[in-house]
Amino acid sequence: MRVADCPPRALARRLARGLVLEVGPLAFRLRTPFPEIAAHLHRLYPDHRLSGPDAFADWSVELLPGRGLRRRLRPQARLVVDGHEPFRPLPRGQACPLLEWGLNWCVYSQAHWWIVVHAAVVADGDRALLLAGDSGAGKSTLCAALLTRGWRLLSDELALLDPRDGRIQPLPRPVSLKDRAIELVAGLAPGAVLSDPVATDGKGWVAHLRPPPGSVARAREPARAAWLILPEVTPGSPPAVGGVGPGRALMALVRQCVNYTAVGPDAFERLADIAASVPAYRLRFDDLAQAAALVDGLTRHARDRAAAGA
């Protein structure tokens, strides 16, 4: 069953008892009494598959009310993962972003059977483009813009590399957008489905973009790294791109690998393979549409050759 096949009220009842949400190769057991989470899933995860509460799941994730008097005076949402609370409680109005951050936390802190790199990933066929960088570099925003130009979403936040062969596993979840990026992406794609913006503590306004149905349908199809771009939002700057050598590319990938030490030598070998074998660029930009067009141009020749079977 897909999320869209379950009406919102029925989905809320199932969430209160627990259900399993499949996201690519991962499964999350979700349980919450909050009806807004059902609405959030219905709006942003309609094409993802559901299983019953007894199905296998990689993590059990609960969103629960605050304790004591806060439950009534200042309603809160608590995130509980396998019995552990990784974050402090947040105001109830931030429950939906808290769920998304919690799912990210599960992956980057515990999924050490993959090499996890802080990078957005889109693909053309089985050729993946990695956008690696610190928070605020523009990864998710540029990722969203590329989706409007026909790229397939693998992830807006975490690249999952198989340590055996270096293939990148898709994890197509809603794309996180902040502040000005929300309006920019809405302007680029007037038909896009976005959550209502939420004012958050420390992250400004946050909204999420529904992943394209075609990306969710291909969530079991990995891709291989074909390009690496290190984006950097630079206010007032025209788009500018420059080549990056293998050494600097490797340093950037290692810096963004969140479990480099936990994975060990396999992480170095796979990241070094990527740095040595794919073209890498540093991209400074302010205008989102111009930056997306520039990335399309950088990759066009190789994509056309692949489409022609060269």
Side-chain angles (χ1 to χ4, degrees):
M1 169 184 284
R2 297 180 312 142
V3 172
D5 299 326
C6 190
R9 288 189 178 182
L11 185 61
R13 290 194 294 271
R14 289 190 63 175
L15 271 171
R17 297 191 300 270
L19 56 77
V20 172
L21 178 72
E22 299 178 14
V23 185
L26 299 177
F28 299 90
R29 180 175 294 103
L30 305 181
R31 189 174 75 84
T32 180
F34 299 158
E36 62 266 36
I37 298 300
H40 179 80
L41 295 181
H42 218 266
R43 190 172 189 177
L44 297 182
Y45 288 82
D47 304 299
H48 291 73
R49 297 195 64 80
L50 295 176
S51 302
D54 296 328
F56 171 80
D58 296 279
W59 295 277
S60 291
V61 179
E62 299 173 281
L63 277 172
L64 303 174
R67 297 188 177 95
L69 285 176
R70 285 183 178 276
R71 188 179 183 114
R72 294 185 177 179
L73 298 179
R74 299 181 63 184
Q76 290 183 320
R78 295 185 296 121
L79 179 83
V80 182
V81 179
D82 294 334
H84 172 67
E85 292 190 41
F87 306 133
R88 63 181 174 83
L90 293 179
R92 169 74 178 269
Q94 298 178 33
C96 294
L98 179 60
L99 172 65
E100 298 297 337
W101 298 332
L103 300 187
N104 283 342
W105 181 87
C106 292
V107 178
Y108 70 68
S109 68
Q110 299 186 9
H112 300 323
W113 55 93
W114 284 311
I115 303 163
V116 183
V117 179
H118 190 206
V121 190
V122 295
D124 181 66
D126 63 352
R127 299 166 63 81
L129 163 62
L130 284 85
L131 302 162
D134 295 334
S135 295
K139 302 183 301 296
S140 295
T141 310
L142 186 53
C143 168
L146 292 170
L147 297 183
T148 69
R149 303 175 75 92
W151 289 77
R152 173 166 69 106
L153 173 68
L154 271 70
S155 174
D156 81 310
E157 184 77 15
L158 299 170
L160 308 180
L161 277 69
D162 190 324
R164 297 167 300 180
D165 57 16
R167 294 190 302 172
I168 303 172
Q169 302 294 321
L171 190 67
R173 290 179 39 224
V175 178
S176 178
L177 301 171
K178 300 172 189 171
D179 296 324
R180 189 170 74 111
I182 301 170
E183 184 179 347
L184 290 174
V185 171
L188 282 180
V193 177
L194 287 153
S195 64
D196 294 330
V198 174
T200 66
D201 297 339
K203 291 181 180 289
W205 288 90
V206 172
H208 288 84
L209 170 71
R210 172 183 164 182
S215 298
V216 180
R218 300 180 65 182
R220 297 281 182 172
E221 300 179 25
R224 289 194 179 277
W227 305 275
L228 170 64
I229 289 182
L230 310 175
E232 183 180 325
V233 173
T234 307
S237 170
V241 66
V244 174
R248 290 190 178 278
L250 176 58
M251 290 174 61
L253 287 169
V254 169
R255 173 185 165 87
Q256 298 302 333
C257 183
V258 302
N259 61 351
Y260 183 79
T261 303
V263 174
D266 285 345
F268 175 82
E269 291 180 11
R270 294 304 172 198
L271 298 180
D273 285 345
I274 293 174
S277 62
V278 310
Y281 307 94
R282 186 173 301 282
L283 170 65
R284 293 186 173 87
F285 71 98
D286 184 32
D287 187 290
L288 182 58
Q290 290 181 2
L294 185 58
V295 172
D296 252 353
L298 279 175
T299 59
R300 176 61 60 189
H301 179 65
R303 296 161 63 197
D304 288 346
R305 282 174 56 86

